[in-house]
Amino acid sequence: MTEQQEASEDAVMTRIGQAVILLHAGDREEARNRLRDLWTELGEDGDGLHRCTLAHYLADAQDDPADELAWDLRALTAADALREGPRPRQEPPPPAVRVFYPSLHLSLAADYAKLQRTAEARLHLERARAAVRALPDDGYGAGVRSAIRRLERRLAGEPGQGPLPFPGQHP
């Protein structure tokens, strides 16, 4: 990879980060516009990690739960493409991709819960829980684990099967 390509990729992540700052500051419309513009620039053949990250944040910028779900599904598709990328079959997916899965599935579970599609919410919550081993033992990992537990409690109040404990945890 050339220095120019590396600088270009860093510029993409910087632009994503700038839009996310706007999103967290409450300017959803401007953040959404910037993220969509960047999505268009990246195109179908854009870097998979960028597409995954961008779609994940674009989901957060949506006002309509169905649109949020559509963007989170795009993020999962991009992560799956990275996971299935060119490498020996027996080799595990890169750590950067594995760390995405708990959050991606948690987001999908939350999307489905908002849409009152409880069975799909529980399925993705299970997948998020199964992927937590990839998370680091830091603030990010603790935050995702905590969000999983909150959604489990919320779904436990709805009809159907209640939440299952994390591996090694007693009910």
Side-chain angles (χ1 to χ4, degrees):
M1 183 179 288
T2 69
E3 285 183 38
Q4 185 176 10
Q5 288 172 319
E6 288 177 17
S8 174
E9 289 184 17
D10 289 344
V12 170
M13 292 307 273
T14 297
R15 289 174 64 196
I16 292 171
Q18 290 168 338
V20 171
I21 289 169
L22 288 170
L23 178 63
H24 291 198
D27 194 348
R28 294 172 65 81
E29 185 174 351
E30 181 63 21
R32 186 171 42 241
N33 290 338
R34 288 186 187 197
L35 292 169
R36 276 192 193 139
D37 289 347
L38 189 49
W39 180 263
T40 301
E41 287 176 36
L42 284 177
E44 294 282 325
D45 297 323
D47 177 79
L49 189 58
H50 291 158
R51 289 174 55 81
C52 179
T53 304
L54 187 54
H56 195 45
Y57 284 117
L58 259 163
D60 293 342
Q62 301 306 306
D63 296 324
D64 182 300
D67 292 337
E68 186 175 358
L69 172 62
W71 281 108
D72 276 328
L73 287 169
R74 286 182 187 103
L76 182 61
T77 298
D80 286 345
L82 284 169
R83 183 181 189 166
E84 297 160 2
R87 62 179 200 296
R89 193 82 168 131
Q90 67 278 12
E91 189 178 311
V97 176
R98 288 191 308 257
V99 171
F100 271 131
Y101 279 95
S103 180
L104 292 172
H105 284 293
L106 173 62
S107 292
L108 285 164
D111 296 342
Y112 283 120
K114 287 177 195 173
L115 295 167
Q116 298 180 349
R117 294 170 58 180
T118 307
E120 290 102 329
R122 286 194 172 99
L123 172 70
H124 283 282
L125 193 56
E126 253 329 285
R127 290 177 180 169
R129 189 180 313 106
V132 296
R133 285 183 220 87
L135 291 173
D137 287 328
D138 61 7
Y140 171 75
V144 173
R145 286 180 184 94
S146 178
I148 289 171
R149 286 190 295 272
R150 283 192 306 274
L151 186 54
E152 285 175 332
R153 285 191 298 271
R154 190 171 126 214
L155 290 176
E158 295 180 15
Q161 179 183 351
L164 299 173
F166 278 101
Q169 210 179 29
H170 298 288

